[in-house]
Amino acid sequence: MTLLLAIQMTACNAGDKVITGNELPAAAQTFISKYFSGKQVSLVKKDKEGMKKYYDVTFADGTKLEFDNKGEWRDIEAKPDGVPAELVPAEINSYVSQNYPGQKILKIDRSHSRYEVDLSNGLELKFNKRFKLVEIDN
């Protein structure tokens, strides 16, 4: 309980606001119910960056989700189990399975122009919006 209170105080000091899961946009609530229903939520925050709002959800097992103001996912970090395959574009799943067999996608981040995935072997792969690999980082 003390740790959770410390986390909440730190979040508030950083300009984030701790909220309840019911305060998430409806699309985010639906997403969590569909793909992460068996996980216990530990912390939900709303963050304002300029005029934009973002929502962060942290689960007891360490899984983290970030949503935009409409409730669309921006970032999924699911260590050590990996990001559910149905949340990764088919082209990226195919590329990873062909070129890095046996590796899990532990994190996926998307924006309007790119996708970034972190693999269980430590590599970070960057794809453009057409799912073409554009960079590999160690």
Side-chain angles (χ1 to χ4, degrees):
M1 181 68 173
T2 304
L3 178 60
L4 184 57
L5 182 59
I7 291 170
Q8 289 176 343
M9 290 175 63
T10 302
C12 290
N13 290 338
D16 296 344
K17 179 182 177 188
V18 176
I19 62 172
T20 67
N22 293 334
E23 295 176 81
L24 287 168
Q29 292 181 45
T30 301
F31 181 88
I32 291 168
S33 294
K34 183 173 181 178
Y35 298 107
F36 298 94
S37 63
K39 295 185 182 287
Q40 180 183 354
V41 175
S42 294
L43 183 66
V44 181
K45 299 185 302 183
K46 178 168 67 172
D47 182 26
K48 289 185 181 179
E49 293 178 16
M51 298 299 290
K52 295 185 178 184
K53 293 179 195 171
Y54 299 101
Y55 298 88
D56 298 311
V57 178
T58 304
F59 295 89
D61 70 353
T63 299
K64 297 178 183 180
L65 308 174
E66 182 179 307
F67 298 95
D68 65 16
N69 64 333
K70 295 177 184 175
E72 297 294 321
W73 72 267
R74 290 174 28 110
D75 188 56
I76 302 170
E77 184 175 339
K79 298 175 184 174
D81 299 329
V83 175
E86 61 268 26
L87 298 177
V88 178
E91 297 89 344
I92 293 175
N93 266 331
S94 177
Y95 180 88
V96 170
S97 65
Q98 288 176 9
N99 294 282
Y100 301 98
Q103 297 300 309
K104 293 180 184 177
I105 295 176
L106 300 180
K107 182 177 179 180
I108 185 166
D109 178 34
R110 73 176 177 185
S111 69
H112 66 280
S113 63
R114 56 131 181 94
Y115 284 84
E116 294 180 16
V117 297
D118 292 354
L119 302 181
S120 51
N121 65 1
L123 290 179
E124 181 181 296
L125 309 178
K126 297 180 183 181
F127 298 86
N128 65 19
K129 64 183 176 183
R130 294 185 186 103
F131 310 111
K132 180 181 176 192
L133 182 69
V134 295
E135 189 175 336
I136 299 174
D137 287 335
N138 292 334

